[in-house]
Amino acid sequence: MTERVFVTIRGLQTGSEDKPIEAKFQGRYGLINGKHCISYEERPADSGLVTKNIIKASGDQVIIIKKNGVESRLVFDQNRITSIDYHTPYGSISLSIRTKSISIKDSQDLIEINLEYSLLYDNSQLSDNSVNIKITPAK
């Protein structure tokens, strides 16, 4: 895989009548200590802030870190329920993530990460979600 990549993220809330959300970014990729590391920036149209994102994926764990504007560290781990304080410009929300499955497919021209998880608030399930992340070389 090349260092310069395209990152395509598609998210869906299961059971929701909303359509999937999809976004594509230019980013950087590296394999560091056996972990797939992807970084990219988001520039929301309604905000002047730039959010820096890092995805670290290996085995049965995926970590997504967001910095600037929206601060969060989401840990998807099949072996345990993880907790996060999701920081937004409007305040913080304490949530938990129950990861149902993680799949990482790795080939020369594609890395694909699939996450299936539930979001919990105060031990009550808020939603079931899926995220598909595709990393392809920027040519």
Side-chain angles (χ1 to χ4, degrees):
M1 179 70 64
T2 63
E3 182 180 321
R4 296 185 66 232
V5 294
F6 289 116
V7 180
T8 305
I9 301 173
R10 184 173 194 218
L12 177 65
Q13 188 174 18
T14 307
S16 170
E17 293 182 20
D18 293 335
K19 294 180 181 179
I21 297 171
E22 186 167 332
K24 189 171 185 175
F25 308 96
Q26 288 186 345
R28 294 188 156 314
Y29 168 80
L31 187 63
I32 301 170
N33 295 327
K35 290 184 181 181
H36 298 288
C37 297
I38 305 100
S39 63
Y40 64 95
E41 292 182 350
E42 283 181 81
R43 299 175 192 271
D46 60 346
S47 168
L49 298 173
V50 174
T51 303
K52 297 181 180 187
N53 301 281
I54 299 170
I55 300 171
K56 298 178 182 180
S58 69
D60 58 359
Q61 187 179 77
V62 175
I63 300 170
I64 301 174
I65 302 166
K66 292 181 169 281
K67 295 182 179 183
N68 295 348
V70 176
E71 305 275 335
S72 65
R73 178 183 168 91
L74 293 91
V75 178
F76 300 90
D77 187 322
Q78 286 188 239
N79 299 315
R80 63 187 173 97
I81 294 175
T82 60
S83 299
I84 61 165
D85 286 324
Y86 193 76
H87 302 285
T88 72
Y90 309 104
S92 296
I93 303 168
S94 294
L95 299 171
S96 297
I97 299 171
R98 180 186 314 132
T99 305
K100 297 176 182 179
S101 69
I102 295 174
S103 168
I104 301 172
K105 297 176 185 172
D106 182 1
S107 66
Q108 186 168 345
D109 289 333
L110 173 68
I111 296 168
E112 186 171 15
I113 302 166
N114 287 293
L115 302 169
E116 301 281 337
Y117 64 96
S118 296
L119 276 181
L120 310 169
Y121 176 74
D122 201 23
N123 290 325
S124 296
Q125 184 169 322
L126 294 176
S127 63
D128 283 323
N129 307 278
S130 63
V131 173
N132 172 267
I133 303 168
K134 291 183 180 177
I135 297 95
T136 55
K139 295 180 181 180

